[in-house]
Amino acid sequence: MTIAPSPSAPAPRTADGGTTALRTRPAALLLDFGGVVVTTRQRPDGLERMADHVAEVLARAGHERTPAELVPVLRGGKKALKDWKNASSRRLAPTELDHRTIWREFYGSPLTAAEREVLAGSAGALQETLTRTLTDHHLRPGIGELIDLAATLGVPLGIVSNAHSGRAHRAILAEHGVADAFAVQVYSDEVGIRKPHPGMIDLAARALGTEPARCWYVGDTYDRDVLAGRRADVGGLVLTRDHHTDRVPFPVADRPDVVLDDPRGLVDLLRDAAPSSSTDVPAAAVPDRAPARDRTGVSALLLDHGGVIATSRADQAVRRGFATELATRLTAAGYPTGTDDALEVLTVARAAHKRWKAAHEAGTASDDGTTVPEIDAPTFWVELVGPQLAHHGPGVRHWLRAEAHALMVGYARTKSVPTVRPGVRELLVTTRDAGVPVAVVSNTVCGRAVREELVEAGLDDLIGAHVYSDELGRRKPDPTTVRTALTALGAEAASAVFVGDKPQRDVAAARAAGVGTTVLVRGGSTDDDALDALPADGPHTPDHLLDTMTDVAALLGVRVDVVQGTPAGTRR
């Protein structure tokens, strides 16, 4: 086995050049296609040959294009796809393009609508032809020996490959006489996701009756293969050097367990690996974790915004000011509107929004609890406000769609005037000093507006995470809101505390997310009579009903004298 002399390759961690992660024989060996099983070479005339083929396809439908016209079209599409692939590698869980999109929007976008539809209708076949026409494919050194050894040891092989034509890859393997060696082949265009999405590796492992932690994964790129392997928590991660290994579109901190010149080194690794029982998971399959925070006390404090951090009141002068702004902007865009008219439009839209929320409050059942959607800015402005301005003609709806997000900031900041509740700053300071992280979990039409208010109140630097329903697309009582905050803080649900002011939304969401302690505070959106009427053991009855935010600090066991300079942070 040869370790490639690359600055990106990790130093060997054992005397024989192997690593602890690769000392145990894998339950399955998963290989990338290009760069591992095969290497490719660009054909000098490949693009011209493909242009000839595309011209023939178009001609059959009555569209005359010369190959010379189509070469720059195809070259542009190829470059755009390369950029898209690099950008997708930056995402946590990228999806794959379908063939119709590739040929309609990447290759076909400079052509006529009719020509695009012809290409889209033959997209799958065109993509296979393109893959076979632009490049030659050759098995890499050592693949034959690796296949034979894996068969001898009883280690199943699988393919895990980003591919815009899995069918072409399957055919290429068959032509080289090795297709039957692979018990499963997972291609991105066939499963709809692409590396570095860990789901491709997970799918291949489970298709072979095992799990990623008991597999080795072998790729040739850092931004796709190494990231995918680490995210999937594979038992062993190997990089075989090829054309694209050092062409990294952005810095990648993760590293493989070993870097090889070519797959011949895999033969040595697999031969030397010790057999393992079917139930053993290699110790190295457990990824390194950051040291956990002390969970002996409260793991996190989750706070609603409206009614908890701040109370709000309607201010007609402020609302009228925004109506004037809206009327001015509409008029400037060619849709003459007066302030009174705009104010009435907003009043009607506000009522329509309340009905929208009521209609969606029950949500729908899902695997992770009740799914409750949040309205987005375009829906609010086009669907709720738009009908009130329909007399201006269809153009106003397009204007509202274009301006929706900017309008929503102004609307959210002027529909009510917030005031920070007494004791909030002291609570946030003492929880910070006590090591209890804080998140805001709020139903709102505009998280940006809430952030601005927190900044202006001088509270933003005391809050660790923000979860706003308009940005998440879910609203309480959907537990996804609370779970997202817990994930952001790395907090255990059972030892977390959630403070809200609405039983049916806040308590319901927190309980469904497994939060251990639920609190409602008086003085928010729910009047005292309604809070006092909650049944003792009702599903929306909190564990604690408190009067003030200072009481919340007392519940957590933190003192609030830190603002006077006295050390704080004692926990019960």
Side-chain angles (χ1 to χ4, degrees):
M1 179 182 70
T2 309
I3 303 296
S6 164
S8 60
R13 285 180 277 176
T14 62
D16 63 358
T19 69
T20 303
L22 300 168
R23 284 181 173 175
T24 304
R25 185 181 301 167
L29 181 58
L30 309 178
L31 311 175
D32 190 16
F33 178 83
V36 178
V37 177
V38 304
T39 189
T40 60
R41 183 177 66 246
Q42 295 290 321
R43 291 174 176 166
D45 62 343
L47 210 59
E48 288 74 14
R49 291 171 57 189
M50 191 65 198
D52 289 339
H53 178 69
V54 173
E56 293 174 3
V57 172
L58 291 173
R60 289 197 293 267
H63 306 299
E64 298 299 328
R65 291 277 184 174
T66 67
E69 288 179 281
L70 292 170
V71 166
V73 171
L74 295 177
R75 182 177 292 115
K78 183 181 177 184
K79 175 62 167 60
L81 275 171
K82 179 180 179 180
D83 292 342
W84 179 90
K85 292 174 183 177
N86 287 339
S88 294
S89 293
R90 188 68 175 180
R91 303 186 67 187
L92 294 174
T95 55
E96 184 58 275
L97 294 170
D98 61 82
H99 298 148
R100 290 179 64 88
T101 297
I102 290 172
W103 279 90
R104 178 188 282 117
E105 299 187 17
F106 283 81
Y107 289 116
S109 63
L111 305 179
T112 67
E115 290 169 327
R116 290 196 296 270
E117 287 309 313
V118 171
L119 298 182
S122 299
L126 284 168
Q127 193 60 41
E128 180 181 14
T129 302
L130 182 77
T131 301
R132 308 294 300 277
T133 301
L134 296 188
T135 54
D136 288 315
H137 297 80
H138 305 280
L139 290 181
R140 296 202 69 190
I143 288 298
E145 297 89 335
L146 182 66
I147 289 173
D148 290 342
L149 177 61
T152 300
L153 298 177
V155 176
L157 300 176
I159 296 285
V160 181
S161 174
N162 283 353
H164 280 162
S165 183
R167 69 167 88 172
H169 288 195
R170 292 176 187 275
I172 290 165
L173 291 177
E175 290 167 7
H176 283 88
V178 297
D180 292 342
F182 299 98
V184 66
Q185 297 182 46
V186 177
Y187 297 109
S188 60
D189 69 323
E190 298 175 353
V191 299
I193 56 177
R194 61 181 286 114
K195 295 174 292 185
H197 196 310
M200 290 185 68
I201 293 175
D202 184 77
L203 176 61
R206 297 190 185 284
L208 297 178
T210 186
E211 57 186 345
R214 301 186 62 240
C215 298
W216 293 357
Y217 175 66
V218 187
D220 69 311
T221 60
Y222 285 91
D223 58 304
R224 298 166 197 181
D225 296 314
V226 172
L227 285 179
R230 289 298 177 221
R231 290 174 184 175
D233 287 341
V234 294
L237 182 55
V238 179
L239 206 66
T240 55
R241 189 173 293 286
D242 199 43
H243 309 312
H244 302 291
T245 303
D246 295 317
R247 299 175 187 173
V248 185
F250 48 82
V252 176
D254 288 295
R255 289 292 178 261
D257 295 308
V258 72
V259 179
L260 306 173
D261 287 323
D262 58 52
R264 286 175 290 193
L266 277 170
V267 177
D268 297 330
L269 282 173
L270 187 60
R271 181 184 296 114
D272 295 342
S276 90
S277 69
S278 60
T279 58
D280 287 342
V281 177
V286 180
D288 293 334
R289 305 291 187 189
R293 284 195 294 260
D294 181 8
R295 301 297 188 194
T296 59
V298 177
S299 65
L301 175 63
L302 312 182
L303 302 175
D304 188 16
H305 178 259
V308 176
I309 292 177
T311 57
S312 59
R313 59 178 177 81
D315 187 315
Q316 291 305 316
V318 173
R319 289 183 176 181
R320 187 172 183 83
F322 177 69
T324 299
E325 178 188 346
L326 175 61
T328 300
R329 296 183 65 187
L330 282 166
T331 300
Y335 309 108
T337 305
T339 294
D340 289 339
D341 293 333
L343 192 59
E344 178 62 22
V345 165
L346 293 172
T347 300
V348 173
R350 189 174 293 111
H353 185 212
K354 288 182 179 179
R355 293 193 296 272
W356 188 96
K357 289 189 288 187
H360 292 82
E361 190 86 348
T364 57
S366 65
D367 291 341
D368 61 353
T370 302
T371 298
V372 183
E374 179 60 278
I375 199 167
D376 57 24
T379 300
F380 180 91
W381 288 97
V382 176
E383 303 300 330
L384 303 188
V385 175
Q388 313 307 315
L389 298 170
H391 58 280
H392 285 301
V396 74
R397 293 174 65 90
H398 296 293
W399 184 86
L400 289 168
R401 173 65 184 87
E403 298 292 332
H405 292 281
L407 288 171
M408 191 59 92
V409 179
Y411 173 75
R413 297 219 57 182
T414 56
K415 70 174 185 175
S416 61
V417 178
T419 300
V420 175
R421 290 184 61 148
V424 167
R425 169 174 292 281
E426 290 81 0
L427 172 65
L428 294 177
V429 169
T430 53
T431 51
R432 178 196 62 189
D433 291 349
V436 179
V438 176
V440 175
V441 184
S442 175
N443 283 355
T444 178
V445 293
C446 187
R448 174 182 164 185
V450 175
R451 282 192 182 91
E452 290 179 359
E453 292 169 1
L454 292 170
V455 170
E456 291 167 7
L459 300 178
D460 184 63
D461 63 345
L462 299 172
I463 295 166
H466 300 259
V467 178
Y468 301 115
S469 59
D470 69 309
E471 298 171 354
L472 188 64
R474 304 274 191 95
R475 60 183 280 110
K476 297 172 291 185
D478 192 317
T480 305
T481 55
V482 179
R483 292 191 185 115
T484 301
L486 293 169
T487 298
L489 297 179
E492 299 292 339
S495 53
V497 176
F498 187 101
V499 183
D501 67 320
K502 305 173 194 69
Q504 288 79 12
R505 294 176 184 170
D506 295 320
V507 175
R511 288 257 170 83
V515 169
T517 304
T518 57
V519 178
L520 290 180
V521 289
R522 299 181 187 274
S525 302
T526 308
D527 62 50
D528 287 349
D529 290 342
L531 292 175
D532 291 334
L534 292 171
D537 296 318
H540 301 144
T541 302
D543 299 306
H544 301 276
L545 179 58
L546 304 178
D547 292 328
T548 69
M549 297 305 289
T550 302
D551 294 330
V552 175
L555 176 69
L556 299 180
V558 292
R559 301 202 312 271
V560 297
D561 53 355
V562 67
V563 292
Q564 283 79 38
T566 305
T570 305
R571 290 197 220 176
R572 278 206 294 252

